[in-house]
Amino acid sequence: MNRISIESKFVTNDFLFELKRFKELNISEELYRYLLEVEYPWQALGKPLTKFIENCIQKIPPEQRIKGLVSEHVYLENKDSIVISKGAVVEAGAYISGPTFIGPEAIIRHGAYVRGSVYISQGAVVGHTTECKGSILMPSAKAAHFNYVGDSLLGVDTNLGAGTKLANLKMNHKNIILALDNKKIDSGLKKFGAVLGNRAQTGCNSVTNPGTIMLPETVLLPNHTALGVIRR
């Protein structure tokens, strides 16, 4: 499978996530400013993302970090580095490790595994048996059933069908390469899953190879495997 090159202007944070409309789309100002600091989404992953989340958490006094509705049967590891905002719901049986930031009206369902370095925006869903690490879920992004979300960015109102896996590591463990402007671009990351532009969606049991980018409003059909850039 060969990657087809695309113009780099179509895979910027501004284009994929419509940052000029951040207020209308309920993107928090802190996340908006963070995504503006770098041009491309993969530049917002890895250690910079962890630092960003830690900074967001440090701005909130420790006694005010857990304000949502959290079942007594939830396991919080590194609790001091977890924020659960007012209006968020965390159901029984969820496991959350810090640093993790969970925004208002977000839902973490029974059996979810949030491994840390995750920013979950307003109204986003991490569902039953979904595993999530090193990722950003933007407002109303949904990974609701049996999903793996590793080192990925899910745009506004995106949806992962049941069983979708966003693979984040090549079998040879080498850096993820992208094809942009007819050149091979090294992402600088060994772990880089997928980027879904706003309102993109995947069908059930689909798989994205490391470094896959779905442009806004695109669709990956059920039981299909994606590589490179998916466009309409």
Side-chain angles (χ1 to χ4, degrees), residues 4 34 47 66 68 81 97 105 108 111 128 135 145 152 173 191 193 199 202 217 226 228:
I4 299 174
Y34 176 63
K47 291 180 180 179
I66 308 295
S81 60
S97 180
E105 285 83 52
I108 313 299
H128 176 62
S135 295
H145 316 280
S152 298
H173 290 204
K191 291 190 176 182
R199 298 173 298 281
T202 68
E217 301 181 4

Side-chain angles (χ1 to χ4, degrees), residues 72-145:
E72 62 179 325
H73 301 296
V74 169
Y75 188 86
L76 301 179
E77 184 177 3
N78 303 320
K79 185 176 179 179
D80 289 344
S81 60
I82 296 171
V83 166
I84 302 175
S85 302
K86 184 177 180 180
V89 175
V90 184
E91 296 180 354
Y95 181 110
I96 302 171
S97 180
T100 289
F101 186 99
I102 301 173
E105 285 83 52
I107 301 175
I108 313 299
R109 293 179 177 158
H110 166 74
Y113 181 24
V114 181
R115 288 172 49 194
S117 295
V118 180
Y119 187 99
I120 301 169
S121 298
Q122 177 177 342
V125 176
V126 179
H128 176 62
T129 69
T130 290
E131 179 180 350
C132 189
K133 55 88 64 175
S135 295
I136 296 173
L137 280 70
M138 299 184 76
S140 300
K142 297 174 180 65
H145 316 280

Side-chain angles (χ1 to χ4, degrees), residues 5-23:
S5 181
I6 189 171
E7 292 181 68
S8 57
K9 66 181 180 181
F10 293 116
V11 296
T12 64
N13 288 332
D14 192 37
F15 180 85
L16 292 167
F17 307 126
E18 303 169 278
L19 295 181
K20 292 181 176 64
R21 300 174 57 209
F22 80 97
K23 290 185 178 180

Side-chain angles (χ1 to χ4, degrees), residues 125-184:
V125 176
V126 179
H128 176 62
T129 69
T130 290
E131 179 180 350
C132 189
K133 55 88 64 175
S135 295
I136 296 173
L137 280 70
M138 299 184 76
S140 300
K142 297 174 180 65
H145 316 280
F146 310 101
N147 304 126
Y148 177 68
V149 182
D151 303 280
S152 298
L153 292 90
L154 306 186
V156 176
D157 203 27
T158 52
N159 186 73
L160 302 183
T164 293
K165 313 300 182 190
L166 308 182
N168 64 336
L169 180 66
K170 293 172 67 173
M171 295 184 72
N172 62 11
H173 290 204
K174 292 184 178 180
N175 282 6
I176 311 302
I177 304 297
L178 300 104
L180 301 176
D181 301 325
N182 294 312
K183 300 176 183 178
K184 291 184 177 181

Side-chain angles (χ1 to χ4, degrees), residues 3-4 6-8 10-13 15-17 40-42 45 153 166 176-180 187 192-198 200 208-216 218-220 226-232:
R3 297 178 187 269
I4 299 174
I6 189 171
E7 292 181 68
S8 57
F10 293 116
V11 296
T12 64
N13 288 332
F15 180 85
L16 292 167
F17 307 126
Y40 301 109
W42 57 91
L45 296 173
L153 292 90
L166 308 182
I176 311 302
I177 304 297
L178 300 104
L180 301 176
S187 69
F192 170 23
V195 178
L196 276 65
N198 291 351
T208 61
N209 276 276
T212 295
I213 298 176
M214 296 181 63
L215 299 188
T218 54
V219 174
L220 176 60
L227 176 71
V229 178
I230 300 174
R231 65 195 88 188
R232 288 186 289 174

